[in-house]
Amino acid sequence: MGVEMVDGDGLANEPIIAYYEDRARGGVGLIITETCAMDYPNGANSRHQLGMSSDSFIPSMTELTSRVHAHGAKIAVQLAHHGKVSRVDKKEGRDILVPSLTDWHGSYSMLADTTAEELGWMAAVNGDGGGKLRAMTTDDILETTDKFAEAARRARDAGFDGVEIHASHGYLISAFLSKQWNTRDDEYGGSIEQRSRFLVEVIKAMRASVNDEIPIWCRLDAKEYLTPEGIEFADARITAKLAQEAGAAAIHLSAYGDSSSASAFTLGTLPHTEAKHKQLSAQLKADLDIPIIGVGRINPETAEQMLADENADLIAMGRQILADPELANKLREGRPEDIRPCINCYVCVASPFFDRRVHCAVNPALGNETELANADRDKAATAKRVVIVGGGPAGMEAARVAASRGHDVTLFEASKQLGGALRFAALVYEPNARLLAWLTRQMDTLGVDVRLNTPATPQAIQALSPDDVIVAIGGAREASTIPGADLKHVVDGDDLRKVLTGSGDGDAKKVPLAGRLAATAGRRLGLTGDADRLAKLTKIYMPLGKEVTIVGGGLVGIEIAEFLVDRGRTVTVIDPGPNMAPEMAHPRRWRVLTDLRDHGTTLINGATVTTIDAERVHYRLGDEEADAANSVLADSVNSVLADSVIIATGLIGNPTLDSWMTVAGIETTVVGDASGIGYIEGAMHDGFHAGLSLG
Ligand SMILES: Cc1cc2nc3c(=O)[nH]c(=O)nc-3n(C[C@H](O)[C@H](O)[C@H](O)COP(=O)(O)O)c2cc1C
Ligand code: SF4
């Protein structure tokens, strides 16, 4: 995975070596590096990626491979020319090599759901320094093939255990494989066999240059989604066979799609669906004699199944190992439940779009391994007595880090369950439930003294004589001032959360009695303690009408919309801003908004709700442009029918915070939403650093 840690010269530096070393220490069998530009900076998509264009790259790469080898792992380099995605060539005014010049450049359907700020960042990265697309001549192809071969020889000399040719994701070689991007009429275009010729020649040239001392294999696209003449699986099968005949040692089967489409990225490159490419990998495995590496949101339990079912021979994991570099060791030690789960939020992969260093919502050490790789495992010089107030994600993460560093931690939680805002987030988006389960388990494993149903009074805190107090009491919600917000069928996110997650229904008066009874019944059965089972229960019963309008299309409003659509509701979301869910990482936002629209959800931007009455929600459109962009039916302009309304606005930092600045004479550290809304990422990072700051 491209992590954008290199300084701008293509050389492996200490941060990126520490990042790989941390994964090697974590027990992975084989690391395949990020895309390394074989002709750096030509054909590179970032100045901050690895390069291998001359022998001067060998010493730093040798340092990288030896540091990885020291932990018993193997390491292969992924060599690429980025073709049409060579952002560095564009910016620096060089020719951008492509198989052919074509008329179609993508659907650009992502534009509508990308914020102006993000578009600005992307434009800055793609900054036009005059680089123009140029169809490769035969000489260009031969020269590029030689450069691939030379880069492979350098990889061998630097101690790499193998080379993966990046022949997917729209980069140069995969563009040759695609009928959409390759319209050549010479021997490198036409049939799939001819389109595969460049790849075949690269494999052969590389094998010769490394003298077959290390294996050479390639990453291929099983399919190119939402691209008119894109790669089909039938093509991929032929290419894979040709690659095998040319001596490829394995096929790493990924997928790709129109990179300007709001939907294709999460269908192909980083699939939203678990193990999405599993069946294709199984079919390819049946075709070939060489091993197949399966990839694409494969979690450990699915990985085992895929291996058992012979869907793949090896499993590649990307984000799972960004989220937890120790994943492999934890599996080996038989404790899969200790693996910090990836929550499929796409925060990590949003960064490379803007040419910024990668970071992870749940693993604050990612991108700063030099300082933080072992920080949550190293023991503190002096063990302290620590009180944490609040058992949401920030409080639990602070408790986890503190306890794991040897501090004596007591955590007060006023409600009867751990989780705070994460409990509701877990209900509306399943991957979050895994994080909740993991954090909760860590409290147990690390011996945190968790006191549920226990308000943290000054006396209770004082009684423990703590050295430090960390306050993680979560955000608050301002009451809505919209006329009609007090009507019976209008609830706010808190009301809904309280009823559905069982975090107290006493003051959630507006949810109908039947709903409260159902939730109570659920709790009695023990269902609300488990987000997954509760999610299933709400598919059978939900205390909401058929037509639901959500006021506020931020992250919370959109996740509630997703949850309700999944439960058969017709949903309208109204938001005053220009984009829905600007807080979500854009690939996830693209996916969710596409899915919502596909399910008939009406998304109205640039609109302010003016009143709510018994039947309708009335709103004012901000300006004509927004009006034209909205798909509002003529007869319902400025109002929508709603038999339930959810107010998902008004999240703020905690106004009671002043009284928490010093508790029982002790200075406190405030973390998570209490100090300003930061959602899961903010909570996890805050909690982590608060845990570390104890010493
Ligand atoms: C931050 C990030 C950077 C990536 N960069 C690359 C890359 O350099 N080369 C590549 O082949 N795939 C890249 N990918 C795709 C991954 O290799 C992998 O195929 C994809 O994330 C799906 O697998 P996963 O669900 O296990 O993460 C990247 C993914 C992420 C999250
Ligand atoms: S940022 Fe999100 S998607 Fe990426 S690895 Fe971390 S949890 Fe997973």
Side-chain angles (χ1 to χ4, degrees):
M1 287 163 288
V3 287
E4 308 264 345
M5 286 188 190
V6 170
D7 287 329
D9 51 10
L11 296 171
N13 56 3
E14 184 53 35
I16 203 165
I17 294 175
Y19 154 77
Y20 283 120
E21 193 177 18
D22 198 30
R23 270 80 206 157
R25 191 185 298 115
V28 300
L30 167 68
I31 289 172
I32 304 170
T33 67
E34 64 174 17
T35 75
C36 167
M38 44 52 105
D39 193 20
Y40 186 96
N42 306 308
N45 73 352
S46 167
R47 276 262 171 200
H48 301 289
Q49 72 179 125
L50 291 168
M52 193 71 107
S53 44
S54 75
D55 284 2
S56 63
F57 288 82
I58 294 177
S60 63
M61 287 297 210
T62 306
E63 170 73 7
L64 167 62
T65 57
S66 47
R67 295 261 293 270
V68 164
H69 287 153
H71 299 281
K74 300 217 178 286
I75 181 164
V77 65
Q78 185 185 60
L79 293 178
H81 185 297
H82 294 83
K84 62 184 157 64
V85 203
S86 301
R87 299 186 297 192
V88 178
D89 287 339
K90 181 160 191 225
K91 201 165 181 181
E92 296 178 5
R94 290 184 292 272
D95 284 352
I96 303 165
L97 299 184
V98 290
S100 324
L101 300 179
T102 54
D103 293 336
W104 189 83
H105 295 284
S107 68
Y108 284 88
S109 60
M110 46 64 91
L111 288 175
D113 293 326
T114 310
T115 67
E117 197 176 31
E118 288 161 348
L119 288 172
W121 295 335
M122 287 179 196
V125 177
N126 289 303
D128 197 351
K132 296 270 176 294
L133 298 177
R134 177 159 71 78
M136 289 170 82
T137 61
T138 310
D139 281 349
D140 289 329
I141 294 175
L142 298 177
E143 194 187 325
T144 307
T145 306
D146 285 347
K147 286 180 175 172
F148 264 112
E150 269 299 281
R153 194 262 307 153
R154 288 182 196 113
R156 181 203 59 190
D157 294 349
F160 282 100
D161 302 290
V163 173
E164 176 167 288
I165 303 165
H166 202 331
S168 56
H169 300 174
Y171 299 149
L172 185 62
I173 298 181
S174 77
F176 268 84
L177 298 172
S178 169
K179 227 199 264 179
Q180 176 59 47
W181 306 108
N182 179 353
T183 56
R184 301 173 72 94
D185 55 11
D186 63 1
E187 68 270 39
Y188 292 96
S191 68
I192 181 60
E193 287 79 4
Q194 305 227 121
R195 283 182 271 132
S196 303
R197 184 186 300 272
F198 180 33
L199 171 64
V200 164
E201 289 179 357
V202 168
I203 295 170
K204 288 182 177 163
M206 278 188 171
R207 285 191 58 200
S209 86
V210 301
N211 212 10
D212 274 342
E213 286 166 37
I214 55 170
I216 308 285
W217 67 88
C218 51
R219 192 171 230 209
L220 290 181
D221 293 319
K223 202 171 155 51
E224 203 177 5
Y225 287 90
L226 304 181
T227 303
E229 297 274 329
I231 297 165
E232 291 298 336
F233 186 55
D235 300 325
R237 288 176 110 152
I238 295 171
T239 305
K241 275 210 164 137
L242 292 169
Q244 174 175 278
E245 280 162 25
I251 301 292
H252 187 171
L253 196 68
S254 183
Y256 177 61
D258 165 20
S259 56
S260 72
S261 147
S263 195
F265 188 71
T266 46
L267 290 174
T269 324
L270 267 82
H272 178 67
T273 312
E274 279 193 48
K276 180 165 174 55
H277 313 313
K278 181 170 81 170
Q279 293 312 332
L280 300 180
S281 148
Q283 286 181 50
L284 195 66
K285 181 167 160 49
D287 282 359
L288 302 182
D289 303 320
I290 52 176
I292 304 296
I293 308 175
V295 71
R297 205 175 163 212
I298 304 175
N299 290 315
E301 60 279 22
T302 319
E304 290 293 356
Q305 197 56 49
M306 283 179 70
L307 295 175
D309 295 346
E310 302 204 354
N311 297 148
D313 299 281
L314 296 101
I315 301 293
M317 292 182 189
R319 288 169 288 171
Q320 294 80 342
I321 292 181
L322 295 184
D324 191 345
E326 285 193 291
L327 179 144
N329 280 343
K330 289 176 181 173
L331 285 179
R332 201 172 272 128
E333 290 159 13
R335 43 188 193 105
E337 62 286 352
D338 281 339
I339 296 170
R340 175 171 35 213
C342 163
I343 56 170
N344 202 39
C345 64
Y346 293 93
V347 161
C348 49
V349 81
S351 305
F353 279 81
F354 315 132
D355 211 9
R356 293 188 191 154
R357 183 179 285 207
V358 79
H359 64 286
C360 171
V362 301
N363 175 15
L366 177 67
N368 192 6
E369 281 75 7
T370 316
E371 285 179 22
L372 299 178
N374 289 310
D376 61 350
R377 292 164 247 174
D378 289 345
K379 293 287 173 241
T382 318
K384 290 182 170 176
R385 189 181 292 268
V386 182
V387 165
I388 295 179
V389 183
M396 283 198 279
E397 175 65 358
R400 181 189 74 82
V401 174
S404 128
R405 286 170 61 81
H407 300 297
D408 175 3
V409 184
T410 304
L411 188 152
F412 288 95
E413 166 57 43
S415 83
K416 55 194 142 202
Q417 288 164 318
L418 287 169
L422 182 57
R423 189 156 279 281
F424 191 52
L427 180 62
V428 294
Y429 188 50
E430 183 277 332
N432 294 338
R434 302 179 197 194
L435 182 66
L436 174 60
W438 175 76
L439 280 169
T440 308
R441 184 184 151 82
Q442 297 313 300
M443 300 303 94
D444 207 22
T445 313
L446 294 164
V448 174
D449 177 4
V450 174
R451 302 190 182 177
L452 298 175
N453 294 310
T454 312
T457 59
Q459 294 80 353
I461 294 174
Q462 223 153 20
L464 294 168
S465 316
D467 299 302
D468 285 278
V469 177
I470 295 173
V471 176
I473 52 175
R477 193 177 292 276
E478 276 180 324
S480 173
T481 53
I482 300 170
D486 52 347
L487 290 170
K488 273 211 161 74
H489 68 304
V490 185
V491 293
D492 66 20
D494 275 349
D495 281 327
L496 204 58
R497 177 169 64 87
K498 281 172 183 160
V499 171
L500 294 180
T501 64
S503 56
D505 59 354
D507 46 352
K509 297 205 174 53
K510 293 231 237 120
V511 175
L513 181 63
R516 294 209 297 277
L517 289 177
T520 308
R523 268 199 310 284
R524 291 229 174 96
L525 293 168
L527 292 174
T528 50
D530 175 337
D532 184 42
R533 293 165 77 194
L534 178 56
K536 287 187 183 123
L537 180 74
T538 56
K539 290 201 172 177
I540 302 164
Y541 184 78
M542 273 277 298
L544 291 172
K546 233 15 220 145
E547 306 260 353
V548 184
T549 292
I550 299 173
V551 181
L555 183 147
V556 174
I558 289 299
E559 286 195 337
I560 294 177
E562 204 182 9
F563 172 75
L564 293 178
V565 164
D566 200 28
R567 281 151 185 79
R569 301 310 197 267
T570 304
V571 178
T572 301
V573 186
I574 304 178
D575 190 89
N579 295 96
M580 293 290 171
E583 313 91 330
M584 275 182 187
H586 63 273
R588 167 139 164 77
R589 184 190 322 131
W590 294 346
R591 172 83 266 142
V592 180
L593 298 182
T594 303
D595 285 350
L596 284 176
R597 289 194 190 97
D598 287 351
H599 285 87
T601 306
T602 309
L603 303 173
I604 307 174
N605 279 110
T608 309
V609 172
T610 50
T611 39
I612 301 169
D613 64 30
E615 289 181 351
R616 305 187 83 90
V617 174
H618 302 265
Y619 59 90
R620 177 172 37 80
L621 284 170
D623 55 45
E624 277 179 23
E625 220 178 273
D627 202 345
N630 287 322
S631 53
V632 186
L633 297 175
D635 67 351
S636 65
V637 166
N638 291 352
S639 77
V640 280
L641 272 177
D643 41 28
S644 289
V645 179
I646 299 171
I647 312 255
T649 55
L651 268 182
I652 50 169
N654 205 302
T656 67
L657 213 56
D658 275 357
S659 57
W660 283 104
M661 298 316 279
T662 54
V663 176
I666 303 160
E667 268 214 16
T668 62
T669 308
V670 179
V671 295
D673 279 355
S675 59
I677 303 304
Y679 305 99
I680 292 176
E681 181 182 350
M684 293 296 288
H685 283 239
D686 263 16
F688 179 90
H689 288 289
L692 282 190
S693 70
L694 298 166

